[in-house]
Amino acid sequence: MYIDSHCHLSFPELTSQVEAIRAAMATARVEAALCICTTIEEFPRVHALAQQHDNFWASVGVHPDSEGVHEPTVEELVTLGRLARVVAVGETGLDYYRLNGRSVADMEWQRERLRVHVRAARQLGKPLVIHTRSASEDTLRILREEGADQVGGVFHCFTETQQVADAALEMGFHISFSGILTFRNAQDLRDVARRVPLERCLIETDSPYLAPMPHRGKLNTPALVPHVAQELARIKGLDVEEIAKVTRSNTRRLFSLGLSTAE
Ligand SMILES: [Zn+2]
Ligand SMILES: [Zn+2]
């Protein structure tokens, strides 16, 4: 059995077909998924998915790329984070990839937003879901300054270097690999994945984006997460069932997911 540790079932591409996706998940032995929030406006829909289905869970947070949206305070995040079936704070982090003519100095609002999320996660005692792109130094620095090691979490959809992976692991974070791991041009990432201890690895789809090979370019859903596991198994020279078992138990432990089945 597999768990998709990061998907966006509340996005319009997927939300209309949740029942079909759930059937495909069952066929593919994907037993659970963590539905990730990207704006406070979206949170009620993310939370509803987790309330309506006992194998979906929710996070609460505002993605660094979300602009012109409600900017939550620590208190607001803590209030939402205390609701039933909310197991993580995020996705939050820094993204300097699309500066749209601005400088890194202009992105102070993103750094402040990240600080607010770490403070909320610490108050809640819940793990962080971190998104970082073209901003790893600042991301790591702020996580250190805010004491994120107190709660840990995951660097999701990891595409960074070995040094960034090592720094994240040292802070007690997990590393989550997406379908990017299966892309032909991702050899550097596969080299990093080989060296991340399996006990700290998670797998995810980040659906509806980033469908793994051989579905690249098509609509992604949590039912495709076994392709990520298969690639991780190939890289590490392990059986895919071992990857499934360990990443599943890592995800359950990190997010304190109560699943009824024993295996
Ligand atoms: Zn992300
Ligand atoms: Zn995401």
Side-chain angles (χ1 to χ4, degrees), residues 241-261:
E241 288 302 320
E242 177 71 7
I243 299 290
K245 190 175 123 210
V246 178
T247 56
R248 175 184 184 272
S249 101
N250 294 345
T251 309
R252 290 182 61 171
R253 193 177 57 244
L254 177 60
F255 298 113
S256 307
L257 305 185
L259 290 170
S260 48
T261 49

Side-chain angles (χ1 to χ4, degrees), residues 5-8 11 34-40 42-43 46 58-66 72 77 88-95 110 113-114 117-118 127-133 154-157 204-210 255:
S5 72
H6 189 116
C7 63
H8 297 280
F11 284 14
L34 178 49
C35 300
I36 301 292
C37 181
T38 62
T39 64
I40 299 303
E42 177 195 18
F43 175 76
V46 179
S59 73
V60 61
V62 183
H63 192 291
D65 282 343
S66 299
L77 288 170
V89 174
E91 58 180 301
T92 182
L94 301 176
D95 195 326
Q110 270 194 4
R113 181 185 283 174
L114 170 56
H117 280 72
V118 178
L128 287 153
V129 177
I130 297 296
H131 169 112
T132 185
R133 193 175 187 196
V154 58
F155 276 53
H156 105 91
C157 196
E204 66 172 85
T205 59
D206 206 9
S207 50
Y209 313 121
L210 298 171
F255 298 113

